[in-house]
Amino acid sequence: MSDFEGLKALVTGGASGIGRATAELLAARGAEVAVLDLDPSSVDKPLLAHRADVTDDASVRAALSAAVTDLGGLDVLINNAGIGAQGTVEDNDDEQWWRVLDVNVLGMVRTTRAALPHLRESAHAAIVNTCSIAATAGLPQRALYSASKGAVLSLTLAMAADHVREGIRVNCVNPGTVDTPWVARLLDAAPDPAAERAALQARQPAGRLVTAAEVAGAIAYLASPLSGSTTGTALAVDGGMQGL
Ligand code: NAI
């Protein structure tokens, strides 16, 4: 498929996991792709790499501007950078709350703010936010993370409404548990990694973890001109967690 031929895309958190799979898929389908990440050292050609911290507005603006210059424009923004948190409301202090909200919610606001003037110039402008099934399902031990992704879902809907008349579509994907380096770190830290993996698999009716490639495929659909009439939606990629 070459449905991204001629399109320019930027993927935040594109050095690892879902972001990396998405950047590689968009490039394979013809896009020119830049990755914006805290640590882009592992990113190879044909992907372009820019270092930035989404919690730092000046760093986001500088990296986004450099990426747009390299790409020669911007059609697609994938707001994917995010971090996790475990626990109930009693387990995370204010500092942890502000930190996760800063990365997961304000991070998307900063990149979107910097990207909008460029997206307005595109005939195929699309933003896809990586949300989570945690935004719509009550998951135990994920109070802070779920609140951050709930905000991402609402932000997606509000942005879709604000920019629909400008021809900019905004959607999000809601993955279940995805087999990425993030989940590998979570399992490594668990007292019994095999039992933890089994519990995560059991949470999804399909009985297995989602793959990064499956989430990338959903993001690519929402980013591509093929979904030109789709805006303000959340696409679940969760092995049936939400619907079954
Ligand atoms: P990952 O940890 O493999 O990759 C995240 C990437 O984001 C890394 O390359 C990291 O350097 C980058 N990043 C983190 N903080 C950053 C910052 N302040 N500025 C710039 N870059 C930063 O994680 P994964 O699993 O690929 O997650 C990606 C997104 O998918 C996140 O938004 C996460 O909330 C979401 N998600 C993940 C699920 C999972 O089970 N893995 C499930 C549902 C959603």
Side-chain angles (χ1 to χ4, degrees):
M1 264 176 113
S2 54
D3 50 336
F4 283 90
E5 209 65 58
L7 299 183
K8 331 272 187 189
L10 180 75
V11 182
T12 75
S16 173
I18 294 168
R20 182 61 168 263
T22 302
E24 288 174 352
L25 182 62
L26 298 186
R29 283 164 61 167
E32 284 177 64
V33 183
V35 158
L36 185 157
D37 203 287
L38 262 186
D39 178 10
S41 57
S42 68
V43 176
D44 300 323
K45 282 184 177 160
L47 306 178
L48 303 167
H50 291 275
R51 186 180 307 275
D53 181 344
V54 298
T55 67
D56 175 350
D57 196 48
S59 140
V60 167
R61 285 186 177 283
L64 198 126
S65 164
V68 170
T69 301
D70 285 357
L71 293 168
L74 189 67
D75 305 285
V76 169
L77 171 66
I78 312 296
N79 277 320
N80 167 79
I83 56 173
Q86 286 180 273
T88 71
V89 286
E90 292 181 300
D91 298 321
N92 301 117
D93 62 20
D94 284 13
E95 199 180 324
Q96 290 168 316
W97 272 83
W98 287 122
R99 168 78 193 150
V100 174
L101 293 172
D102 199 8
V103 177
N104 291 5
V105 186
L106 275 85
M108 294 192 183
V109 172
R110 293 184 186 99
T111 46
T112 303
R113 222 160 33 198
L116 278 170
H118 306 288
L119 293 173
R120 287 192 183 102
E121 303 294 313
S122 166
H124 295 288
I127 299 175
V128 184
N129 298 328
T130 307
C131 188
S132 168
I133 210 67
T136 57
L139 302 182
Q141 297 291 325
R142 296 287 187 278
L144 163 51
Y145 181 69
S146 299
S148 77
K149 291 301 185 177
V152 168
L153 178 58
S154 303
L155 179 66
T156 302
L157 301 179
M159 279 166 42
D162 281 337
H163 303 294
V164 62
R165 301 255 178 237
E166 299 179 310
I168 303 172
R169 299 183 300 108
V170 188
N171 293 286
C172 67
V173 287
N174 284 359
T177 305
V178 190
D179 215 344
T180 67
W182 163 332
V183 168
R185 289 192 298 273
L186 196 98
L187 294 176
D188 283 348
D192 183 347
E196 182 69 17
R197 176 176 272 273
L200 291 176
Q201 284 171 340
R203 221 164 56 172
Q204 293 174 171
R208 65 165 176 87
L209 300 189
V210 177
T211 68
E214 290 168 334
V215 184
I219 293 174
Y221 169 66
L222 293 171
S224 103
L226 289 173
S227 65
S229 288
T230 302
T231 193
T233 65
L235 177 52
V237 190
D238 62 354
M241 225 173 139
Q242 178 182 263
L244 307 181

